[in-house]
């Protein structure tokens, strides 16, 4: 069975989220740089790098960046943007040597996509193993509490979709499902008669911290947005910086 994240992260996704741009990525990377130091020879993993906007920003600050992603379309975009190493694969089976990265980042809710918590645990476990001793992992996630409060049953929006930049009518519907554990977004490209689904596990900050702890990572800093906002119930993001013990 094809999973939702194998279908959705193609050109349509890219066209629908134009505001998630390089400026946004630069802010995220600046925030990380304020907490984590690395030197030019250090390896940095951008896990689920998408179109490479963070990988490009990290590379500009020095470090040998590797972008990892499942989507061929995203990796093609990343290649247009940056010369960093790019590897295609599934984050549930990372192909990297133990202890080989000084820093790993997973940004803009690129986690929580699987049905079982065991799969998520496996991902974090492998990331932790890929970090050198004293290495850091930055997880930038949705704020589950805020999502639960703000989900509207039917939200219609007009967006630009498609590879040729023409406008197409998009209907987005969000709901909480599967026993309250996931936020499920249905994206319908009406002109094309196509539908996609996005399904993300609603992990609270404490649950994320516990997942990290399970793999020997402890949280050393936390933020509620890329500008360094405090983490709280109304914060747009949950950004955890964890260190390998
Ligand atoms: C929300 S996008 C964010 C991309 C990028 N971090 C950014 O902020 O631009 C999530 C990314 O996760 C990737 N992805 C989804 N499932 C994956 C998996 N099982 N293994 C590796 N990458 C995956 C998608 O292809 C997509 O590029």
């Amino acid at each position: 069975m094809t999973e939702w994240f194998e279908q959705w992260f193609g050109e349509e996704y890219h066209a629908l989220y134009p505001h998630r741009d390089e400026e946004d990525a630069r802010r995220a990377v600046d925030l990380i740089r304020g907490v984590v130091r690395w030197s030019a020879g250090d390896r940095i993993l951008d896990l689920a790098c998408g179109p490479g906007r963070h990988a490009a920003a990290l590379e500009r600050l020095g470090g040998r960046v590797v972008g990892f992603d499942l989507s061929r379309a995203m990796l093609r975009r990343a290649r247009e943007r940056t010369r960093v190493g790019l590897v295609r694969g599934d984050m549930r089976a990372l192909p990297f040597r133990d202890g080989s990265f000084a820093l790993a980042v997973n940004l803009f809710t690129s986690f929580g996509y699987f049905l079982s918590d065991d799969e998520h645990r496996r991902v974090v476990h492998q990331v932790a193993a890929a970090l050198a001793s004293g290495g850091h992992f930055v997880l930038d996630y949705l704020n589950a509490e805020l999502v639960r409060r703000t989900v509207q049953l039917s939200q219609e929006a007009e967006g630009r979709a498609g590879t040729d930049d023409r406008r197409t009518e998009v209907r987005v519907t969000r709901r909480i499902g599967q026993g309250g554990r996931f936020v499920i977004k249905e994206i319908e490209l009406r002109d094309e008669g196509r539908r996609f689904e996005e399904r993300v596990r609603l992990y609270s900050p404490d649950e994320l911290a516990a997942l990290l702890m399970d793999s020997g990572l402890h949280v050393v800093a936390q933020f509620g947005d890329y500008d360094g906002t405090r983490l709280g119930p109304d914060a747009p993001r949950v950004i955890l910086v964890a260190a390998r013990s």
Side-chain angles (χ1 to χ4, degrees):
M1 193 189 73
T2 310
E3 308 220 48
W4 72 263
F5 48 84
E6 295 174 69
Q7 296 179 328
W8 171 226
F9 292 114
E11 290 301 332
E12 296 85 357
Y13 166 84
H14 194 264
L16 232 64
Y17 288 92
H19 59 291
R20 293 296 180 179
D21 58 12
E22 298 211 356
E23 172 56 21
D24 205 41
R26 192 193 52 73
R27 290 168 66 225
V29 168
D30 282 353
L31 179 75
I32 296 168
R33 188 58 167 171
V35 184
V36 184
R37 291 279 132 191
W38 64 85
S39 25
D42 285 342
R43 292 182 83 213
I44 300 174
L45 173 62
D46 185 357
L47 182 68
C49 64
R53 57 201 182 112
H54 301 101
L58 287 161
E59 188 192 27
R60 278 194 291 276
L61 290 179
R64 295 183 292 144
V65 182
V66 176
F68 181 86
D69 204 281
L70 187 60
S71 159
R72 287 194 171 85
M74 289 289 155
L75 289 170
R76 264 197 305 276
R77 292 221 167 237
R79 180 45 73 228
E80 286 165 14
R81 178 177 265 151
T82 162
R83 298 309 310 158
V84 304
L86 294 173
V87 179
R88 180 171 179 267
D90 190 314
M91 64 173 86
R92 288 169 291 186
L94 292 184
F96 304 110
R97 260 189 304 112
D98 282 0
S100 50
F101 291 97
L103 169 66
V105 299
N106 178 268
L107 304 172
F108 190 40
T109 318
S110 302
F111 183 72
Y113 296 169
F114 311 120
L115 274 177
S116 77
D117 286 346
D118 274 353
E119 288 168 287
H120 298 129
R121 209 167 286 122
R122 197 189 318 156
V123 173
V124 178
H125 193 74
Q126 291 183 49
V127 172
L131 287 178
S133 161
H136 289 85
F137 178 38
V138 180
L139 182 60
D140 161 30
Y141 207 63
L142 53 72
N143 183 347
E145 190 176 337
L146 185 68
V147 170
R148 282 186 207 281
R149 261 191 287 126
T150 57
V151 159
Q152 294 157 10
L153 270 182
S154 181
Q155 177 195 348
E156 260 186 66
E158 176 99 352
R160 191 181 289 276
T163 51
D164 53 3
D165 238 21
R166 77 193 139 80
R167 286 191 84 78
T168 187
E169 208 184 321
V170 179
R171 183 188 160 94
V172 178
T173 313
R174 291 197 304 160
R175 64 188 162 86
I176 305 295
Q178 310 207 331
R181 295 164 70 241
F182 287 85
V183 57
I184 300 162
K185 203 192 255 186
E186 271 174 31
I187 305 113
E188 184 186 349
L189 307 185
R190 286 178 142 177
D191 298 347
E192 304 170 25
R194 299 167 70 205
R195 279 169 187 270
F196 296 92
E197 190 177 276
E198 203 177 278
R199 191 189 57 215
V200 180
R201 180 80 163 86
L202 286 170
Y203 281 125
S204 69
D206 285 350
E207 287 171 326
L208 290 173
L211 263 179
L212 295 166
M213 287 264 283
D214 265 4
S215 293
L217 298 168
H218 63 279
V219 175
V220 294
Q222 55 186 37
F223 304 98
D225 205 354
Y226 305 130
D227 60 6
T229 297
R230 274 173 74 94
L231 182 55
D234 295 322
R237 310 292 308 160
V238 171
I239 303 166
L240 302 180
V241 181
R244 189 177 151 175
S245 318

